[in-house]
């Protein structure tokens, strides 16, 4: 399993190539990218931060749970931190198994569960302001800018 938080560009091909094995018939990949807008607001960039130790622990537990729950052979989860520009990959989840059906199910379950449970936070910066979306917890070690500074 490859479980990682990184400030570097995520190399999707290298991760999926390393995941593949002779017994696999499928690798399903979720490549989460920064889009240029959210709910009609033009996005400038995203800033990701995490409680690293806890996030990695929970990501490892989710990967192990996916292997157990769906019977897949291997999982890679790599999440980028720091400032990301439009078009860049923020998260890559890849799931390998002998059969495709379980890889789709496991991949979907992993991203949905990770977004709900893992302490990784996203600040969306728009042309007209910034938000920590959807009521996600605000990281305690980051000071919120005043509304006039955004």
């Amino acid at each position: 399993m490859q479980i990682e938080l990184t400030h570097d560009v995520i190399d999707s091909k290298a991760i999926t190539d390393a995941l593949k094995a002779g017994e696999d018939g499928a690798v399903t990949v979720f490549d989460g990218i920064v889009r240029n807008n959210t709910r009609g607001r033009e996005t400038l960039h995203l800033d990701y931060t995490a409680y690293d130790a806890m996030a990695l622990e929970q990501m490892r537990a989710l990967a192990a749970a996916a292997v157990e729950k769906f019977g897949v052979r291997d999982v890679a989860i790599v999440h980028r931190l720091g400032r990301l520009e439009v078009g860049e990959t923020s998260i890559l989840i890849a799931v390998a198994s002998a059969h495709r059906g379980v890889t789709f199910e496991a991949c979907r379950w992993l991203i949905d569960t990770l977004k709900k449970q893992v302490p990784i936070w996203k600040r969306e910066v728009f042309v007209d302001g910034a938000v920590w979306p959807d009521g996600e917890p605000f990281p305690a070690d980051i000071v919120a800018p005043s509304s006039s500074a955004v």
Side-chain angles (χ1 to χ4, degrees), residues 12-35:
S12 303
K13 182 174 178 355
I15 293 166
T16 56
D17 285 352
L19 190 68
K20 293 176 184 177
E23 63 267 30
D24 294 330
V27 172
T28 295
V29 176
F30 173 78
D31 187 347
I33 58 174
V34 178
R35 64 180 169 267

Side-chain angles (χ1 to χ4, degrees), residues 20-128:
K20 293 176 184 177
E23 63 267 30
D24 294 330
V27 172
T28 295
V29 176
F30 173 78
D31 187 347
I33 58 174
V34 178
R35 64 180 169 267
N36 66 4
N37 73 88
T38 298
R39 296 181 195 103
R41 296 175 77 186
E42 183 182 347
T43 302
L44 295 177
H45 62 267
L46 302 180
D47 294 312
Y48 282 94
T49 188
Y51 179 176
D52 292 22
M54 183 180 287
L56 286 167
E57 179 181 321
Q58 290 182 3
M59 289 163 66
R60 285 186 202 98
L62 286 176
V67 168
E68 178 70 25
K69 179 179 178 79
F70 297 98
V72 298
R73 186 190 59 77
D74 203 359
V75 172
I77 305 172
V78 179
H79 202 300
R80 188 155 165 213
L81 302 177
R83 176 154 297 172
L84 280 75
E85 303 298 328
V86 171
E88 292 187 298
T89 295
S90 58
I91 185 168
L92 186 91
I93 297 175
V95 180
S97 187
H99 303 286
R100 69 182 176 270
V102 293
T103 65
F104 285 112
E105 293 170 10
C107 202
R108 174 77 184 252
W109 179 82
L110 281 163
I111 188 59
D112 290 347
T113 307
L114 182 142
K115 288 178 72 92
K116 291 176 189 169
Q117 294 181 5
V118 178
I120 298 172
W121 301 278
K122 169 177 69 174
R123 181 175 181 250
E124 294 180 310
V125 180
F126 304 105
V127 295
D128 62 345

